[in-house]
């Protein structure tokens, strides 16, 4: 069983396709993940399952991988009481979750924008540029910078889960570059394709952070680190001045225009 | 004190097994003096940028591992929200921790009896009034010394 825990998840799923749906039933979506090099033991650890859930899950996986062996999975000794219901975040992590809410509101507008998009009109080209401005300056420079330059620095950046996050951020930047070019050449198909892809990417990315990465990080960080991070985030907020407020106002106008 | 107040309701647990070997020496983690909230100065050097514990008087007696699990590496002040006088001074001092001492975090440890919640309330009010914000955590301790809850709170 030890050996199984130390294997990469993609490899296990490749050999035993049934493991994918088993993980999914516990809210662990490794199948569509872009990287998939995480070890089974880290996946189980990071998803914050209760001891009973973990025992059930591991028993099902063991049955799948070793059908002719009778493996008994012991109940893990619970270190922390299981947190049922709503997720509670530490104050700095809560800030990031609140920023996600604004990013999600932009993502929600993308389908309506695409539907009516006419790049031959200057006002529509400006609309896309304004959306890119929000993505570049709020979602990326302001928000992702807090993640990459502050939060992630408390962890080993070679961790698989962090590599997944960095890869997502980079893919997002690539979509932005593609959109920016296509707006100028008035290539509607390319703009729509990359806006849609960006929406899908960020929706999944934010879900991973809110539900898995952040709660796990919150458990790992000491109170003292939480305090340091809170004040480092406050410094970033001060450095950006009224920029973020302007970006938030843009989302509100965008929503008002489409309703 | 027969007032029907749940905070002074009697409980006798002498028959329960205390478990541990009582002869093991436990090292104190206290690194400062004074500690009573009326006596301390928020500008004392050991509060500057520190992780501070504001602990209700009864907590350290109720918990077995207070020194090693909570006090270690932190600065402290103690107070009783039920019996202490002049608590507006307390509010001012807590606010001064946030604004002047620029403490890193504040953790309020209280007993689960309702009147002890007054200490958390005081800390929340001070944080709401403060121009500088810091993460505030509340730890509630049961009469059996076990931690009932540990949560980040908003003012
Ligand atoms: S209010 Fe708290 S500290 Fe004061 S006597 Fe009651 S339990 Fe003890
Ligand atoms: Fe991210
Ligand atoms: Fe994020």
């Amino acid at each position: 069983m030890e050996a199984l825990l130390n294997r990469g998840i993609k490899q296990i799923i490749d050999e035993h396709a049934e493991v994918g749906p088993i993980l999914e039933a516990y809210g662990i979506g490794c199948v569509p993940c872009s990287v998939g090099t995480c070890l089974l033991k880290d996946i189980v650890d990071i998803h914050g399952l209760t001891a009973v859930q973990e025992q059930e899950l591991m028993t099902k996986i063991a049955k799948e991988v070793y059908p002719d062996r009778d493996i008994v999975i012991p109940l893990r000794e619970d270190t922390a009481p299981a947190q049922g219901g709503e997720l509670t975040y530490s104050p700095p992590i809560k800030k990031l979750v609140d920023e996600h809410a604004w990013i999600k509101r932009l993502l929600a507008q993308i389908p309506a924008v695409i539907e009516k998009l006419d790049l031959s009109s200057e006002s529509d080209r400006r609309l896309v540029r304004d959306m890119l401005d929000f993505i570049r300056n709020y979602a990326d420079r302001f928000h992702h910078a807090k993640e990459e330059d502050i939060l992630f620095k408390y962890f080993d950046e070679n961790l698989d889960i962090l590599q997944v996050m960095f890869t997502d951020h980079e893919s997002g930047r690539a979509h932005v570059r593609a959109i920016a070019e296509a707006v100028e050449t008035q290539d509607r198909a390319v703009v729509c394709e990359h806006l849609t892809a960006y929406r899908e990417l960020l929706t999944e990315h934010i879900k991973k952070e809110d539900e898995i990465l952040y709660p796990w990080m919150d458990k790992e960080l000491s109170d003292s680190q939480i305090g340091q991070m809170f004040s480092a985030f406050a410094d970033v907020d001060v450095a950006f001045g009224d920029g973020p407020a302007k970006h938030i106002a843009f989302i509100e106008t965008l929503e008002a225009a489409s309703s | 004190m027969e007032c029907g107040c749940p905070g002074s309701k009697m409980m006798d647990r002498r028959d329960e097994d205390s478990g541990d070997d009582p002869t093991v020496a436990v090292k104190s983690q206290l690194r400062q003096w004074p500690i009573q909230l009326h006596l301390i100065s928020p500008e004392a050097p050991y509060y500057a940028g520190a992780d501070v514990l504001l602990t209700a008087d009864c907590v350290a007696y109720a918990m077995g591992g207070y020194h090693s699990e909570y006090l270690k590496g932190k600065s402290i002040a103690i107070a009783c929200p039920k019996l202490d006088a002049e608590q507006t001074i307390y509010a001012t001092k807590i606010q001064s921790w946030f604004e002047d001492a620029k403490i890193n975090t504040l953790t309020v440890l209280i007993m689960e009896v309702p009147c002890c919640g007054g200490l958390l309330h005081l800390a929340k009010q001070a944080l709401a009034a403060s121009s500088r914000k810091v993460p505030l955590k509340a730890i509630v301790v049961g009469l059996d010394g076990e931690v009932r809850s540990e949560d980040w709170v908003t003012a």
Side-chain angles (χ1 to χ4, degrees):
Chain A
M1 201 58 205
E2 236 0 78
L4 185 62
L5 284 169
N6 284 307
R7 289 179 62 195
I9 192 63
K10 266 279 191 272
Q11 208 189 353
I12 300 178
I13 294 175
D14 283 348
E15 288 169 27
H16 308 276
E18 271 314 297
V19 172
I22 295 177
L23 287 168
E24 251 157 57
Y26 289 83
I28 303 177
C30 288
V31 181
C33 174
S34 45
V35 180
T37 52
C38 304
L39 304 181
L40 179 58
K41 65 168 190 223
D42 296 336
I43 289 161
V44 173
D45 181 47
I46 223 168
H47 282 77
L49 302 176
T50 65
V52 175
Q53 283 175 323
E54 184 178 319
Q55 185 189 33
E56 278 173 13
L57 170 67
M58 294 311 291
T59 306
K60 285 182 193 163
I61 294 178
K63 277 222 178 82
E64 205 48 57
V65 178
Y66 306 113
D68 37 281
R69 277 197 247 167
D70 231 352
I71 295 177
V72 179
I73 308 286
L75 193 65
R76 172 191 85 207
E77 270 195 47
D78 237 332
T79 41
Q83 286 193 331
E86 221 176 295
L87 287 166
T88 53
Y89 303 100
S90 68
I93 297 281
K94 177 74 173 44
K95 252 185 189 209
L96 296 178
V97 172
D98 291 345
E99 289 167 12
H100 284 167
W102 287 106
I103 300 170
K104 286 196 279 189
R105 282 168 71 168
L106 174 95
L107 300 177
Q109 294 301 317
I110 288 178
V113 168
I114 285 178
E115 208 181 280
K116 293 184 287 206
L117 190 66
D118 170 13
L119 288 177
S120 66
S121 98
E122 171 56 26
S123 76
D124 275 21
R125 289 200 298 272
R126 194 178 324 119
L127 173 66
V128 177
R129 284 188 211 112
D130 286 346
M131 289 168 79
L132 291 181
D133 183 50
F134 175 90
I135 296 173
R136 278 179 174 140
N137 289 301
Y138 187 86
D140 207 27
R141 276 187 202 124
F142 180 63
H143 175 77
H144 289 161
K146 279 182 182 164
E147 293 180 341
E148 294 187 355
D149 301 340
I150 301 170
L151 174 63
F152 294 178
K153 292 272 190 263
Y154 286 98
F155 297 85
D156 176 359
E157 304 204 19
N158 297 314
L159 279 175
D160 294 307
I161 178 111
L162 288 194
Q163 287 302 318
V164 176
M165 297 300 129
F166 285 123
T167 307
D168 284 353
H169 290 176
E170 276 308 322
S171 314
R173 286 166 195 145
H175 288 307
V176 168
R177 284 191 295 271
I179 298 164
E181 273 172 35
V183 174
E184 304 318 321
T185 57
Q186 299 185 24
D187 188 337
R188 191 181 186 281
V190 171
V191 168
C192 295
E193 177 199 323
H194 285 278
L195 273 176
T196 307
Y198 181 81
R199 177 168 178 260
E200 283 164 10
L201 173 77
L202 260 280
T203 304
E204 274 304 308
H205 179 75
I206 288 174
K207 196 167 144 56
K208 277 185 260 187
E209 289 183 334
D210 283 356
E211 295 175 13
I212 298 158
L213 184 70
Y214 289 173
W216 173 74
M217 288 181 156
D218 249 344
K219 269 197 299 180
E220 297 290 310
L221 291 163
S222 69
D223 287 3
S224 186
Q225 290 173 319
I226 295 286
Q228 290 162 12
M229 198 161 68
F230 187 81
S231 85
F233 283 1
D235 290 345
V236 173
D237 291 348
V238 170
F240 277 76
D242 59 359
K246 281 190 192 144
H247 289 117
I248 283 169
F250 164 69
I251 298 294
E252 280 163 345
T253 14
L254 190 62
E255 287 171 345
S258 78
S259 63
Chain B
M1 252 198 255
E2 273 307 313
C3 60
C5 158
S8 24
K9 197 166 147 267
M10 198 172 71
M11 195 179 74
D12 188 349
R13 295 173 56 231
R14 284 176 299 174
D15 290 343
E16 286 174 29
D17 182 8
S18 69
D20 265 352
D21 176 359
T23 60
V24 175
V26 177
K27 215 172 163 339
S28 170
Q29 298 295 338
L30 187 63
R31 308 176 304 173
Q32 65 174 78
W33 195 264
I35 58 172
Q36 211 292 329
L37 191 47
H38 274 309
L39 304 180
I40 61 106
S41 158
E43 270 139 81
Y46 39 77
Y47 292 124
D51 294 297
V52 177
L53 300 184
L54 175 59
T55 307
D57 288 352
C58 296
V59 167
Y61 299 100
M63 290 186 116
Y66 180 74
H67 279 257
S68 59
E69 286 163 39
Y70 291 93
L71 186 54
K72 193 172 170 32
K74 312 260 169 76
S75 296
I76 181 187
I78 61 166
C80 167
K82 181 173 167 135
L83 305 171
D84 294 354
E86 298 190 80
Q87 295 192 19
T88 46
I89 297 177
Y90 283 176
T92 315
K93 286 193 174 183
I94 298 170
Q95 192 173 337
S96 174
W97 273 338
F98 299 138
E99 291 177 342
D100 307 317
K102 302 204 173 4
I103 64 169
N104 188 46
T105 57
L106 180 67
T107 301
V108 182
L109 287 110
I110 54 172
M111 296 302 298
E112 64 182 337
V113 297
C115 44
C116 214
L119 196 59
L120 177 61
H121 187 66
L122 210 58
K124 282 189 188 178
Q125 273 182 329
L127 185 59
S130 170
S131 58
R132 182 177 166 272
K133 307 294 175 198
V134 308
L136 173 64
K137 182 180 258 192
I139 298 179
V140 179
V141 179
L143 301 184
D144 56 3
E146 298 294 324
V147 171
R148 290 280 182 275
S149 65
E150 179 169 341
D151 299 297
W152 294 105
V153 290
T154 41

